[in-house]
């Protein structure tokens, strides 16, 4: 089943805990890998490679609000200050079904656009530092290993995932 975008929110950790980014319109999370070209005795002249370095990037955009700061959301001004101060920010993408990707990164770019008779918009980018984590799969893997070590068999992986998802509700 497809997941609607409005069930997934982007948060930044502040002194008040994880707060949503105010007036966010959308976000995207991407990962990519550098590939090292290889040659093997058996490649028959075909190109082969092996993955080496990985990276992740988090981009988001929204509407600029008139608040300078807030205790209930992260404002555009807050984001710009974090970028200018070169702060390592903690971020989390939280979905209503219990999946939550999280990690740390630096805001590498932030910009705004103001057109006549339009709302002021912004876009920003976070370069993720290190490997992002996923709360659901951390718990899933612990329960999977524990179940197998205890001698249990897992007949239906979807059912197993469904039961783990209930922990996050």
């Amino acid at each position: 089943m497809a997941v609607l975008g409005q069930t997934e929110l982007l948060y930044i950790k502040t002194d008040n805990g994880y707060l949503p980014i105010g007036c966010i319109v959308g976000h995207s999370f991407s990962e990519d890998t550098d590939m090292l070209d290889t040659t093997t005795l058996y490649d028959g002249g075909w190109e082969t490679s092996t993955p080496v370095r990985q990276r992740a990037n988090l981009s988001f955009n929204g509407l600029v609000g008139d608040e300078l700061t807030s205790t209930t959301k992260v404002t555009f001004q807050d984001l710009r200050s974090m970028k200018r101060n070169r702060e390592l920010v903690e971020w989390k993408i939280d979905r209503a079904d219990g999946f939550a990707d999280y990690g740390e990164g630096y805001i590498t770019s932030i910009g705004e656009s103001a057109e006549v008779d339009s709302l002021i918009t912004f876009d920003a980018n976070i370069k993720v530092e290190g490997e992002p984590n996923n709360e659901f799969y951390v718990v899933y893997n612990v329960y999977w290993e524990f179940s197998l070590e205890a001698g249990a068999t897992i007949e239906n992986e979807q059912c197993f995932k469904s039961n783990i998802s209930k922990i996050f509700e």
Side-chain angles (χ1 to χ4, degrees):
M1 177 176 7
V3 180
L4 296 173
Q6 64 261 31
T7 65
E8 187 172 285
L9 294 174
L10 173 60
Y11 296 87
I12 301 287
K13 191 171 186 180
T14 70
D15 292 338
N16 296 317
Y18 281 101
L19 298 178
I21 297 172
C23 300
I24 193 168
V25 175
H27 69 272
S28 64
F29 181 79
S30 62
E31 298 182 33
D32 62 355
T33 304
D34 291 333
M35 300 298 288
L36 179 65
D37 291 340
T38 60
T39 303
T40 68
L41 182 61
Y42 305 104
D43 63 17
W46 286 92
E47 186 177 286
T48 59
S49 58
T50 188
V52 283
R53 305 282 300 161
Q54 297 188 80
R55 70 188 60 77
N57 194 55
L58 182 56
S59 300
F60 53 97
N61 60 325
L63 303 172
V64 175
D66 58 2
E67 308 96 340
L68 294 177
T69 189
S70 171
T71 58
T72 59
K73 61 186 170 191
V74 177
T75 68
F76 172 75
Q77 306 303 337
D78 293 333
L79 293 168
R80 187 162 48 184
S81 292
M82 291 173 192
K83 188 256 174 223
R84 289 179 178 176
N85 294 328
R86 300 179 180 134
E87 292 179 30
L88 182 64
V89 298
E90 293 182 50
W91 56 269
K92 178 169 72 168
I93 299 172
D94 204 0
R95 251 183 20 209
D97 62 3
F99 288 87
D101 289 310
Y102 60 97
E104 297 178 326
Y106 291 97
I107 299 174
T108 57
S109 66
I110 189 166
E112 61 183 285
S113 177
E115 297 180 22
V116 175
D117 294 329
S118 294
L119 297 172
I120 300 174
T121 61
F122 75 90
D123 54 40
N125 187 66
I126 295 176
K127 180 189 176 296
V128 176
E129 292 289 307
E131 182 179 0
N133 295 297
N134 181 287
E135 288 178 354
F136 176 84
Y137 283 106
V138 168
V139 173
Y140 173 85
N141 291 332
V142 167
Y143 273 84
W144 184 274
E145 290 298 319
F146 177 76
S147 298
L148 295 179
E149 286 173 6
T153 59
I154 299 168
E155 304 295 327
N156 184 325
E157 188 174 351
Q158 275 308 110
C159 183
F160 187 75
K161 283 183 177 179
S162 175
N163 287 329
I164 298 297
S165 293
K166 292 176 183 173
I167 294 171
F168 294 97
E169 293 175 352

